[in-house]
Coordinates of all heavy atoms in Angstrom, one line a residue:
G1 N -89.7 -55.3 -85.5 CA -88.9 -54.2 -86.1 C -88.3 -53.3 -85.0 O -87.4 -52.6 -85.2
L2 N -89.0 -53.4 -83.8 CA -88.5 -52.6 -82.7 C -87.4 -53.3 -81.8 O -86.7 -52.7 -81.1 CB -89.7 -52.3 -81.7 CG -90.8 -51.4 -82.2 CD1 -91.9 -51.3 -81.2 CD2 -90.2 -49.9 -82.5
F3 N -87.3 -54.6 -82.0 CA -86.4 -55.4 -81.2 C -84.9 -54.9 -81.3 O -84.2 -54.8 -80.3 CB -86.4 -56.9 -81.6 CG -87.7 -57.5 -81.1 CD1 -88.7 -56.8 -80.5 CD2 -87.9 -58.9 -81.3 CE1 -89.9 -57.5 -80.0 CE2 -89.1 -59.5 -80.9 CZ -90.0 -58.8 -80.2
P4 N -84.3 -54.6 -82.5 CA -82.9 -54.2 -82.6 C -82.7 -53.0 -81.7 O -81.6 -52.8 -81.2 CB -82.8 -54.0 -84.1 CG -83.7 -54.8 -84.7 CD -84.9 -54.7 -83.9
A5 N -83.6 -52.0 -81.6 CA -83.4 -50.8 -80.9 C -83.7 -50.9 -79.4 O -83.0 -50.3 -78.6 CB -84.3 -49.7 -81.6
V6 N -84.8 -51.5 -79.1 CA -85.3 -51.5 -77.7 C -85.4 -52.9 -77.1 O -85.8 -53.0 -75.9 CB -86.6 -50.7 -77.5 CG1 -86.3 -49.3 -77.9 CG2 -87.7 -51.3 -78.4
G7 N -85.2 -53.9 -77.8 CA -85.4 -55.3 -77.4 C -86.9 -55.7 -77.2 O -87.8 -54.8 -77.2
P8 N -87.1 -57.0 -76.9 CA -88.5 -57.3 -76.6 C -89.1 -56.6 -75.4 O -90.3 -56.4 -75.4 CB -88.4 -58.8 -76.3 CG -87.1 -59.2 -77.0 CD -86.2 -58.1 -76.8
Q9 N -88.3 -56.3 -74.4 CA -88.8 -55.7 -73.2 C -89.3 -54.2 -73.5 O -90.4 -53.8 -73.1 CB -87.7 -55.5 -72.1 CG -87.2 -56.9 -71.7 CD -86.1 -57.5 -72.5 OE1 -85.8 -57.0 -73.6 NE2 -85.4 -58.4 -71.9
G10 N -88.5 -53.5 -74.3 CA -88.9 -52.1 -74.7 C -90.1 -52.1 -75.6 O -91.0 -51.3 -75.5
A11 N -90.1 -53.1 -76.6 CA -91.3 -53.2 -77.5 C -92.5 -53.5 -76.8 O -93.6 -52.9 -77.0 CB -91.0 -54.3 -78.5
A12 N -92.5 -54.4 -75.8 CA -93.7 -54.8 -75.0 C -94.2 -53.5 -74.2 O -95.4 -53.3 -74.1 CB -93.4 -55.9 -74.1
T13 N -93.2 -52.8 -73.6 CA -93.6 -51.6 -72.9 C -94.3 -50.5 -73.8 O -95.3 -50.0 -73.4 CB -92.4 -51.0 -72.2 OG1 -91.7 -51.9 -71.3 CG2 -92.7 -49.7 -71.4
L14 N -93.7 -50.3 -74.9 CA -94.3 -49.3 -75.8 C -95.6 -49.7 -76.3 O -96.6 -48.9 -76.4 CB -93.4 -49.1 -77.0 CG -92.1 -48.3 -76.7 CD1 -91.1 -48.3 -78.0 CD2 -92.4 -46.9 -76.3
R15 N -95.8 -51.0 -76.7 CA -97.0 -51.5 -77.2 C -98.1 -51.4 -76.1 O -99.3 -51.0 -76.4 CB -96.8 -53.0 -77.6 CG -98.1 -53.7 -78.0 CD -98.5 -54.7 -76.9 NE -99.4 -55.7 -77.3 CZ -100.8 -55.6 -77.1 NH1 -101.3 -54.5 -76.6 NH2 -101.5 -56.6 -77.5
L16 N -97.8 -51.7 -74.9 CA -98.9 -51.7 -73.8 C -99.3 -50.2 -73.5 O -100.4 -49.9 -73.3 CB -98.4 -52.5 -72.6 CG -98.4 -54.0 -72.8 CD1 -97.6 -54.7 -71.7 CD2 -99.8 -54.5 -72.9
L17 N -98.2 -49.4 -73.2 CA -98.5 -48.0 -72.7 C -99.3 -47.2 -73.9 O -100.3 -46.6 -73.6 CB -97.2 -47.3 -72.3 CG -96.6 -47.8 -71.1 CD1 -95.3 -47.1 -70.8 CD2 -97.5 -47.8 -69.9
L18 N -98.8 -47.3 -75.1 CA -99.4 -46.5 -76.1 C -100.8 -47.2 -76.5 O -101.8 -46.5 -76.7 CB -98.5 -46.6 -77.4 CG -97.2 -45.7 -77.3 CD1 -96.4 -46.0 -78.6 CD2 -97.6 -44.3 -77.1
G19 N -100.9 -48.5 -76.4 CA -102.1 -49.2 -76.6 C -103.2 -48.9 -75.6 O -104.4 -48.8 -75.9
A20 N -102.7 -48.7 -74.4 CA -103.7 -48.3 -73.3 C -104.3 -47.0 -73.5 O -105.5 -46.8 -73.3 CB -103.0 -48.4 -71.9
V21 N -103.4 -46.1 -74.0 CA -104.0 -44.7 -74.3 C -104.9 -44.8 -75.4 O -106.1 -44.2 -75.3 CB -102.8 -43.8 -74.7 CG1 -103.3 -42.5 -75.2 CG2 -101.9 -43.6 -73.5
M22 N -104.6 -45.5 -76.5 CA -105.5 -45.7 -77.6 C -106.9 -46.3 -77.2 O -108.0 -45.9 -77.6 CB -104.9 -46.5 -78.7 CG -103.7 -45.8 -79.4 SD -103.0 -46.8 -80.7 CE -101.6 -45.8 -81.2
L23 N -106.8 -47.5 -76.4 CA -108.0 -48.2 -76.1 C -108.8 -47.4 -75.1 O -110.1 -47.4 -75.2 CB -107.6 -49.5 -75.4 CG -108.7 -50.5 -75.3 CD1 -109.4 -50.8 -76.6 CD2 -108.2 -51.8 -74.6
A24 N -108.2 -46.6 -74.3 CA -108.9 -45.7 -73.3 C -109.7 -44.7 -74.1 O -110.8 -44.3 -73.7 CB -108.0 -45.0 -72.3
G25 N -109.2 -44.2 -75.2 CA -109.9 -43.3 -76.0 C -111.1 -43.9 -76.7 O -112.1 -43.2 -77.0
V26 N -111.1 -45.2 -76.9 CA -112.2 -45.9 -77.6 C -113.3 -46.3 -76.6 O -114.4 -46.1 -76.7 CB -111.7 -47.1 -78.3 CG1 -112.9 -48.0 -78.8 CG2 -110.7 -46.8 -79.4
T27 N -112.9 -46.8 -75.4 CA -113.8 -47.4 -74.4 C -114.2 -46.4 -73.3 O -115.1 -46.7 -72.6 CB -113.2 -48.7 -73.7 OG1 -112.0 -48.3 -73.1 CG2 -112.9 -49.7 -74.8
R28 N -113.3 -45.4 -73.1 CA -113.6 -44.4 -72.0 C -113.9 -45.1 -70.7 O -115.1 -45.0 -70.2 CB -114.7 -43.4 -72.4 CG -114.4 -42.7 -73.7 CD -115.6 -41.8 -74.1 NE -115.3 -41.1 -75.4 CZ -116.2 -40.2 -76.0 NH1 -117.3 -40.0 -75.4 NH2 -115.8 -39.7 -77.0
P29 N -113.0 -45.7 -70.1 CA -113.2 -46.6 -68.9 C -113.7 -45.8 -67.7 O -114.3 -46.4 -66.8 CB -111.9 -47.2 -68.6 CG -110.9 -46.3 -69.3 CD -111.5 -45.8 -70.5
W30 N -113.5 -44.5 -67.7 CA -113.9 -43.7 -66.5 C -115.4 -43.4 -66.5 O -115.9 -43.0 -65.5 CB -113.2 -42.3 -66.6 CG -113.3 -41.6 -67.8 CD1 -114.3 -40.8 -68.2 CD2 -112.5 -41.7 -69.0 NE1 -114.1 -40.3 -69.5 CE2 -113.0 -40.8 -70.0 CE3 -111.3 -42.4 -69.2 CZ2 -112.4 -40.7 -71.2 CZ3 -110.6 -42.2 -70.5 CH2 -111.2 -41.4 -71.5
R31 N -116.1 -43.7 -67.6 CA -117.5 -43.5 -67.6 C -118.2 -44.7 -67.1 O -118.1 -45.8 -67.5 CB -118.0 -43.3 -69.1 CG -117.4 -42.0 -69.7 CD -117.8 -41.9 -71.2 NE -119.2 -41.8 -71.4 CZ -119.8 -41.7 -72.6 NH1 -119.0 -41.7 -73.7 NH2 -121.1 -41.7 -72.7
G32 N -119.1 -44.5 -66.1 CA -119.8 -45.6 -65.5 C -119.0 -46.5 -64.7 O -119.3 -47.7 -64.6

């Protein structure tokens, strides 16, 4: 659904950057 607006490249970028923030909140990689 994001492809028409931002293409596969933009969709991949948004998915990874936003996903990294979400996953960091779950796993807290800075600890230990």
